[in-house]
Amino acid sequence: MTLDELVRLRRVRDLVDREYAEPLDVPALARVALMSAGHFSRSFRAAFGETPYGYVMTRRIERAKALLRRGDLSVTEVCFAVGCTSLGSFSSRFTELVGESPSAYRARSHEAGAAVPPCIAKIFTRPTRPVRSVRRDAGKAAAAGAGAAAAARTGSADADADAGAAAAGPAARPEGPGTRNPRPRSP
């Protein structure tokens, strides 16, 4: 990634920070960064550690938390004030990031944090996405296990061959007419 791309990505991030309540979508943000939508999404994630949409929603939830702590607006009013158009989606995302519903968050006492300066409170109240562990080779292991199980049931060596081909990927699968995955042969 070039320095020029990083500058453009930072400009987009600053735009999101300022205009989080406006309708923002990835293609519009990509146009600001002078990139295609796909390249923009990949570059943004590489630079900032989350997708553009995730960043927009994190900003919106962060602002919603501040508005809910004040207590003078209803959850619906806060939802629309931060730029969300669906109360259900807002509540689901809020619960996912914060760990409690917007109504419960609003009803809870926030007196302990009242003496903390807002710039410090922002750091400690920023919503974080839960970490999910995903094994990249889980699909291959499952395919190999399924083939072994089928071979044990039927006593067939063909099931083992099919499982090995599935685990090895598309390069090990047969090509051409009469196969399950026909690919045209080049002339």
Side-chain angles (χ1 to χ4, degrees), residues 91-129:
S91 295
S92 296
R93 183 56 67 102
F94 189 97
T95 302
E96 176 187 336
L97 293 176
V98 177
E100 61 184 326
S101 70
S103 301
Y105 186 84
R106 182 177 182 267
R108 185 165 48 89
S109 174
H110 299 282
E111 295 296 322
V116 177
C119 58
I120 302 299
K122 181 179 176 182
I123 294 168
F124 291 104
T125 61
R126 181 166 193 245
T128 56
R129 191 167 313 284

Side-chain angles (χ1 to χ4, degrees), residues 5-15 48:
E5 286 178 329
L6 285 172
V7 167
R8 288 184 279 155
L9 290 171
R10 179 62 188 254
R11 194 170 297 139
V12 169
R13 192 175 75 166
D14 291 344
L15 172 83
F48 302 119

Side-chain angles (χ1 to χ4, degrees), residues 7-85:
V7 167
R8 288 184 279 155
L9 290 171
R10 179 62 188 254
R11 194 170 297 139
V12 169
R13 192 175 75 166
D14 291 344
L15 172 83
V16 170
D17 289 342
R18 278 190 319 273
E19 299 182 14
Y20 62 88
E22 299 299 318
L24 297 171
D25 60 350
V26 173
L29 296 174
R31 283 191 296 274
V32 172
L34 305 175
M35 298 178 183
S36 71
H39 182 67
F40 169 70
S41 292
R42 287 187 302 274
S43 299
F44 193 95
R45 185 177 184 122
F48 302 119
E50 62 184 322
T51 64
Y53 178 76
Y55 187 79
V56 169
M57 287 306 295
T58 300
R59 283 295 140 267
R60 288 177 174 169
I61 299 300
E62 188 176 275
R63 181 64 183 146
K65 286 175 68 176
L67 293 173
L68 289 168
R69 278 194 302 272
R70 281 186 3 200
D72 61 339
L73 297 174
S74 70
V75 173
T76 304
E77 291 170 326
V78 169
C79 168
F80 293 122
V82 298
C84 294
T85 56

